[in-house]
Amino acid sequence: MSRKPSFANLRDRTPPASAVVAQTTNTGPTPVGQVQNNRIGGQGAATGPASRQGRKQIAGFFSPEMSFAMHTLARRQGRSLQALMAEAFNDVLRKHGESPIGD
């Protein structure tokens, strides 16, 4: 069973060549010590969205069934997948005698 890709997946894809050419028109070399910012939306790696400042990414690979179940639960509860994952991680910390962190 295949699912339609969501729009959230599209924002991480490489833009068409025409968009890259239009965006990266630079007349000279990048000066030493200056990093050129070519990301769409002007967000550089060090200056991502404010909601990600001071945070670290945790990722894993799971079965399609687990992914579907977690996304379905998130939709039913009106919560984000990230919020459900934070709850699950805090439950694991408690289970092993550690203090939950929060978000």
Side-chain angles (χ1 to χ4, degrees):
M1 175 171 120
S2 71
R3 297 185 310 155
K4 291 182 181 179
S6 73
F7 287 111
N9 294 336
L10 297 176
R11 71 173 168 238
D12 295 329
R13 290 190 180 171
T14 305
S18 60
V20 172
V21 170
Q23 183 182 7
T24 60
T25 53
N26 191 351
T27 57
T30 302
V32 175
Q34 179 183 350
V35 177
Q36 186 175 359
N37 184 355
N38 287 334
R39 290 190 57 185
I40 292 177
Q43 297 293 330
T47 62
S51 62
R52 293 185 183 174
Q53 295 299 312
R55 296 184 178 263
K56 301 276 293 177
Q57 181 180 20
I58 300 175
F61 291 90
F62 301 95
S63 69
E65 295 81 13
M66 174 64 81
S67 175
F68 182 77
M70 291 299 292
H71 280 88
T72 302
L73 180 61
R75 286 188 195 109
R76 283 184 186 151
Q77 292 190 356
R79 299 170 65 191
S80 69
L81 185 60
Q82 182 169 325
L84 288 180
M85 291 171 67
E87 180 181 337
F89 293 157
N90 281 323
D91 288 347
V92 168
L93 289 170
R94 282 187 202 98
K95 176 182 173 183
H96 293 282
E98 301 290 333
S99 297
I101 303 302
D103 60 349

